[in-house]
Amino acid sequence: MAQTMSGARILMECLQREGVEVIFGYPGGVTLPLYDAMYEGAIRHILVRHEENACFMASGYARSTGKVGVACATSGPGATNLVTGLVDCMMDSIPVVALTGQVSSKLIGSDAFQEADTFGITRSATKHNYLVKDIKDLASVIHEAFYLASTGRPGPVLVDITKDVLQGQAHYQPVHAIHLPGYKLVTEGHAGQIRRAAQMMWEASRPYVYAGGGIIASGAHEELRELVETLDAPTVLTLMGLGALPGNHPNFISMPGMHGSYAANMGMYECDLLIALGVRFDDRVTGRLASFAPHAKVIHVDIDPAEIGKNRAADLPIVGDAKKVLTKLVRVLKETAPEMKPLREKERREWWNQIRAWQEEHPLKPVFSADEIKPQHLMVEIDRISNGRAIVSVDVGQHQMWAAQFIRFDRPRTWLSSSGLGSMGFGLPAAIGAQVAHPDALVIAIVGDGGFQMSIPELSTIANQGLPVKVIIMNNGYLGMVRQWQDLFYQNRLSAVQIEAFPNIEKLADAYGIRGRIVEKPSELRPALEDAIRHPGPVLVDVRVSPFENVYPMVPAGAAINEMVLAPPRPVEVPA
Amino acid sequence: MLMTISVLMENKPGALMRVTGLLSQRGYNIESLTVARTLDPSLSRMTICVDVEPRLRPLLIKQIHRLVNVLQAADLTEAPAVIREMVLVRIRTSLDNRTAILKEAEIFGARVVDSSVEGFALEASGDPEKLEEFIAVMETYGEIEVTRSGLVAVSLEPKRLKLAPPIPRAHPQSEPAHTR
């Protein structure tokens, strides 16, 4: 039944049809009609304090649920502030729809107040973007945006809507079909390739599973576990993939790459079959490409054909959705197991022995001290408190790597990290997005003293919304990762990395009406964290850690994955 | 090495920018670009000539293909294809040279599109290398001004155009992305 509605109401109607529960946004001049349509509160709106954080919150919401996150901003500065968040979603393949207002179509190109070329600026920051200048296009564009964001390789989609479209009136009829003739998805996976892949897996002496964000995006974690167990293959998970296999699973080695464990990287180097599932051979994983997995044949499963062979040629490519491909792959593996499994049993046993030996030789060992809190100690305590159940979001830098090394994730979508873009200021707003989606979950934001200061405004959002986010600041007084590189590669000439005049967190928290605490002694750490978790509301904990700790192991930029710098020898004390 | 790419895309605002943006963000310099709508006015055909390292060519095609508005992208550099270009040459010349110029033009299959006391305007089309020669020859007769159209190409391999079918959007979608 067609009825006359304003563009803003049509937009709200479409959002409701897409099942949108919450919008993270900030209003402005040209989005006035939209905010008027929101007045009745059909969809919850979270008023952020900066648009960049609206996008990070939508990202945290999407990462922790798998649903499309929605961010909203006005034209000009509102839209340009979204850009970092969009690129973050682009790099990590996160489904977000960003709605921006644009000046009236008659004013476009006239340098009108708060006009910016949002469509042009976000072209490369999105999977696809739209400029809506005709109200007739609005409904189908909104549905296309959600479809594009959430299918295939997920990603951000921006819809820029002119004020006259939002204000105008049109007959609205629900959209029954959308047309995207050029958007062809290959999801099933080639049956012959899948059979050949199974054959290769049985024939390998040193198979190695390298799985990533694609497993989580497609919800293939159960299928991954079945595959890994059927094959009994050692498995590494990328920064994007943590939680795809339970952290205590016996086949899980750890994260590979620049700060991966010794065993994970040696395994990468020595394997003879690399089973790459939903990964993109990122430079932080591979190190020097020419020496990456030099003895291995590569099976590469990815939904995006453009990822196959991008960085490393695949001996056997399979384009398809990880869940669908792995389901079939597991079926073939199980069928062929009785005949094929004994084939390389001896070699496989030796392979496992080798991996266990590497693990024992150089385990990821936390560092403790009785005098000062070591950052690794902090992560171990957070791990103890989470026990695999918390949703943990991190910022970017040293704390991110230590968290990835020492915190265990048992379920997918419980680890939120700006992995590809490495955007500081992500951790706190992403935690807000996750907490909005999971009001009863324990959500912990681990941030550095640098990144935290990029997100301070959102403490107001936390207080405003009464969100019980636990913000733990790993405070080493430095931009630690940059300091580490200056230490290792620039003769320790520490340039612009010391963070002075860090605010008094107890006073700061107090100013926002939330609980704050400073922790300086190792003995205070556990009680302080336990208290933070017990407290029903939001908490800020400023944990003063030793300033000059470096993250190890480390594959220096440009080095091969087996050329790790291991931790310098130091006494290890285990706390009582 | 110069690469010739043929792209069939939806004739929509911004579609051209998506393709050229993808090239410029990688720092590739576009040597020539032509674009016009096809028999079906909702589609455009684009021929791009761009300097790309040979090993990156397949990746580039896949990345162009990934663009939502792109229906087909093909690397015609070494594929069976006809590649043509058109050039307009204005030549100022003395009276003595006029006959010689016309003769040369005839050899290259060029047409006179304007003639005046000052000289000619000539139109030639064909293989881009042949046009280079034509221009070089014309330069010997006097001061010239050249406008080239850029390459247009047609693949000689039959390729069926596969389009994604319409996608029904009947019901509210609230389930997680991966279940769709």
Side-chain angles (χ1 to χ4, degrees):
Chain A
M1 206 20 218
Q3 55 185 119
T4 303
M5 290 167 115
S6 72
R9 286 205 177 274
I10 292 173
L11 173 57
M12 291 302 284
E13 178 72 25
C14 295
L15 294 180
Q16 282 179 278
R17 282 177 177 273
E18 290 290 346
V20 174
E21 299 160 333
V22 58
I23 298 170
F24 300 94
Y26 207 98
V30 297
T31 53
L32 279 165
L34 176 58
Y35 276 81
D36 186 61
M38 282 190 213
Y39 184 75
E40 279 87 15
I43 298 176
R44 183 177 178 195
H45 181 270
I46 305 275
L47 178 63
V48 303
R49 299 300 184 263
H50 189 288
E51 292 91 347
E52 177 180 291
N53 297 323
C55 209
F56 285 150
M57 287 179 207
S59 172
Y61 175 92
R63 287 170 194 259
S64 67
T65 61
K67 294 192 246 181
V68 178
V70 180
C72 179
T74 192
S75 62
T80 56
N81 279 342
L82 288 179
V83 171
T84 305
L86 292 170
V87 181
D88 166 68
C89 292
M90 189 68 179
M91 291 287 270
D92 288 349
S93 305
I94 303 302
V96 159
V97 168
L99 305 167
T100 52
Q102 182 53 276
V103 300
S104 279
S105 43
K106 282 197 197 87
L107 290 175
I108 290 182
S110 72
D111 303 326
F113 177 64
Q114 290 193 331
E115 184 190 351
D117 173 18
T118 306
F119 184 58
I121 289 168
T122 60
R123 195 269 312 158
S124 64
T126 53
K127 180 174 173 182
H128 196 64
N129 62 359
Y130 292 92
L131 167 61
V132 184
K133 290 167 74 183
D134 185 339
I135 195 167
K136 289 200 297 293
D137 300 331
L138 182 60
S140 50
V141 163
I142 297 299
H143 292 302
E144 284 174 26
F146 277 82
Y147 182 73
L148 289 170
S150 60
T151 56
R153 178 180 186 168
V157 179
L158 180 137
V159 185
D160 196 30
I161 310 167
T162 60
K163 189 175 187 182
D164 50 314
V165 167
L166 290 172
Q167 266 173 334
Q169 298 280 325
H171 285 293
Y172 169 69
Q173 207 147 24
V175 172
H176 292 299
I178 52 173
H179 299 265
L180 294 162
Y183 186 63
K184 282 165 287 198
L185 297 177
V186 181
T187 57
E188 293 301 326
H190 189 278
Q193 293 287 83
I194 289 172
R195 263 196 305 279
R196 275 187 283 279
Q199 176 90 12
M200 282 170 79
M201 288 178 191
W202 287 130
E203 284 171 357
S205 302
R206 300 187 303 280
Y208 208 63
V209 174
Y210 156 40
I215 299 292
I216 290 169
S218 88
H221 46 283
E222 278 303 320
E223 291 75 9
L224 174 70
R225 191 180 52 73
E226 278 201 75
L227 177 122
V228 163
E229 289 174 0
T230 310
L231 212 57
D232 194 21
T235 301
V236 291
L237 298 172
T238 66
L239 192 61
M240 279 303 292
L242 293 178
L245 198 64
N248 55 2
H249 194 284
N251 289 58
F252 174 54
I253 310 301
S254 76
M255 176 178 77
M258 184 170 272
H259 294 297
S261 75
Y262 179 74
N265 286 346
M266 290 306 289
M268 281 282 203
Y269 190 78
E270 295 291 346
C271 66
D272 70 347
L273 178 67
L274 190 63
I275 303 162
L277 309 172
V279 291
R280 57 186 180 84
F281 294 82
D282 181 74
D283 58 279
R284 285 296 191 264
V285 168
T286 62
R288 192 170 66 239
L289 256 180
S291 332
F292 175 69
H295 317 293
K297 286 212 158 95
V298 174
I299 296 173
H300 192 179
V301 179
D302 206 285
I303 196 157
D304 180 359
E307 280 305 327
I308 308 272
K310 183 180 81 176
N311 293 335
R312 168 72 183 250
D315 298 276
L316 188 107
I318 302 176
V319 176
D321 174 66
K323 194 180 175 82
K324 291 183 173 174
V325 172
L326 293 195
T327 302
K328 292 176 195 168
L329 201 45
V330 167
R331 199 183 305 141
V332 178
L333 283 172
K334 284 188 171 164
E335 277 165 20
T336 48
E339 183 196 344
M340 299 296 280
K341 195 163 187 175
L343 196 66
R344 296 274 181 268
E345 221 160 12
K346 185 169 149 283
E347 291 91 334
R348 299 278 181 104
R349 237 189 341 265
E350 281 166 17
W351 177 225
W352 266 117
N353 290 341
Q354 175 64 75
I355 284 169
R356 296 301 181 213
W358 284 326
Q359 284 181 310
E360 278 165 35
E361 210 176 321
H362 298 290
L364 277 178
K365 213 163 17 182
V367 185
F368 300 103
S369 152
D371 311 322
E372 51 178 6
I373 300 172
K374 292 288 184 185
Q376 300 92 328
H377 179 190
L378 169 62
M379 299 308 161
V380 169
E381 286 300 326
I382 294 172
D383 177 56
R384 205 183 64 85
I385 256 178
S386 160
N387 194 24
R389 75 195 163 105
I391 296 175
V392 175
S393 99
V394 289
D395 225 79
V396 173
Q398 286 187 313
H399 73 277
Q400 179 191 30
M401 292 297 107
W402 280 314
Q405 288 178 341
F406 294 111
I407 301 177
R408 194 184 87 227
F409 299 94
D410 288 347
R411 290 173 297 134
R413 305 201 175 281
T414 54
W415 161 253
L416 320 176
S417 157
S418 172
S419 304
L421 188 65
S423 179
M424 284 174 68
F426 168 90
L428 183 75
I432 294 175
Q435 188 81 74
V436 166
H438 308 271
D440 301 322
L442 170 60
V443 178
I444 301 172
I446 309 173
V447 295
D449 45 329
F452 171 69
Q453 293 190 78
M454 293 192 181
S455 333
I456 282 181
E458 301 307 329
L459 291 176
S460 171
T461 311
I462 288 178
N464 186 190
Q465 301 285 337
L467 297 167
V469 177
K470 316 299 176 190
V471 183
I472 299 172
I473 305 162
M474 190 198 85
N475 185 348
N476 56 12
Y478 282 92
L479 299 172
M481 191 57 95
V482 183
R483 184 203 53 73
Q484 172 168 346
W485 284 55
Q486 290 180 347
D487 174 8
L488 298 177
F489 310 116
Y490 292 86
Q491 298 81 42
N492 202 29
R493 285 154 55 89
L494 301 187
S495 178
V497 287
Q498 189 170 12
I499 300 178
E500 287 162 312
F502 189 73
N504 179 320
I505 287 298
E506 287 171 352
K507 287 186 181 166
L508 183 73
D510 195 46
Y512 286 104
I514 61 186
R515 184 183 287 199
R517 182 162 179 183
I518 298 169
V519 183
E520 288 173 296
K521 294 200 193 82
S523 60
E524 295 170 348
L525 181 57
R526 187 175 292 182
L529 293 180
E530 281 171 351
D531 175 66
I533 304 307
R534 260 196 313 272
H535 179 65
V539 182
L540 269 184
V541 189
D542 175 2
V543 182
R544 305 284 171 82
V545 301
S546 50
F548 297 113
E549 202 64 33
N550 286 347
V551 184
Y552 293 109
M554 180 175 191
V555 179
I561 194 166
N562 62 335
E563 297 166 357
M564 279 163 280
V565 179
L566 297 162
R570 63 157 72 75
V572 174
E573 295 168 48
V574 180
Chain B
M1 194 186 137
L2 287 184
M3 171 184 186
T4 307
I5 308 168
S6 176
V7 179
L8 184 66
M9 62 193 179
E10 289 180 89
N11 183 4
K12 284 193 171 169
L16 175 68
M17 166 190 82
R18 294 180 205 282
V19 179
T20 55
L22 195 146
L23 297 169
S24 65
Q25 86 187 70
R26 285 155 182 74
Y28 299 156
N29 191 37
I30 297 174
E31 290 289 322
S32 85
L33 186 153
T34 58
V35 59
R37 66 184 167 86
T38 63
L39 268 181
D40 176 349
S42 72
L43 303 179
S44 304
R45 170 75 66 182
M46 184 172 177
T47 308
I48 315 161
C49 183
V50 60
D51 195 1
V52 181
E53 243 182 276
R55 66 175 181 90
L56 293 174
R57 274 164 33 195
L59 176 64
L60 183 61
I61 292 292
K62 286 198 267 189
Q63 288 174 333
I64 293 174
H65 207 265
R66 183 164 65 180
L67 297 171
V68 171
N69 294 140
V70 169
L71 307 185
Q72 256 180 5
D75 180 359
L76 300 185
T77 315
E78 276 144 27
V82 176
I83 299 175
R84 288 290 177 267
E85 190 174 9
M86 188 179 108
V87 63
L88 295 171
V89 177
R90 261 184 53 72
I91 181 158
R92 289 163 166 279
T93 184
S94 60
L95 281 173
D96 322 342
N97 277 339
R98 290 179 74 99
T99 326
I101 288 171
L102 287 176
K103 272 205 174 132
E104 290 283 7
E106 204 184 333
I107 293 170
F108 282 95
R111 291 198 306 139
V112 176
V113 287
D114 185 67
S115 175
S116 67
V117 285
E118 279 160 16
F120 297 112
L122 303 168
E123 171 200 314
S125 69
D127 182 78
E129 277 174 38
K130 265 271 167 282
L131 295 183
E132 296 279 358
E133 285 172 35
F134 173 63
I135 293 166
V137 168
M138 285 302 134
E139 258 184 320
T140 62
Y141 288 103
E143 191 188 323
I144 66 170
E145 205 178 291
V146 174
T147 305
R148 301 177 69 149
S149 67
L151 307 187
V152 288
V154 63
S155 165
L156 299 177
E157 282 173 319
K159 247 193 200 160
R160 264 218 2 256
L161 180 62
K162 276 185 276 175
L163 301 180
I167 305 135
R169 293 304 270 180
H171 308 291
Q173 309 275 329
S174 48
E175 70 270 35
H178 65 260
T179 61
R180 288 185 201 171

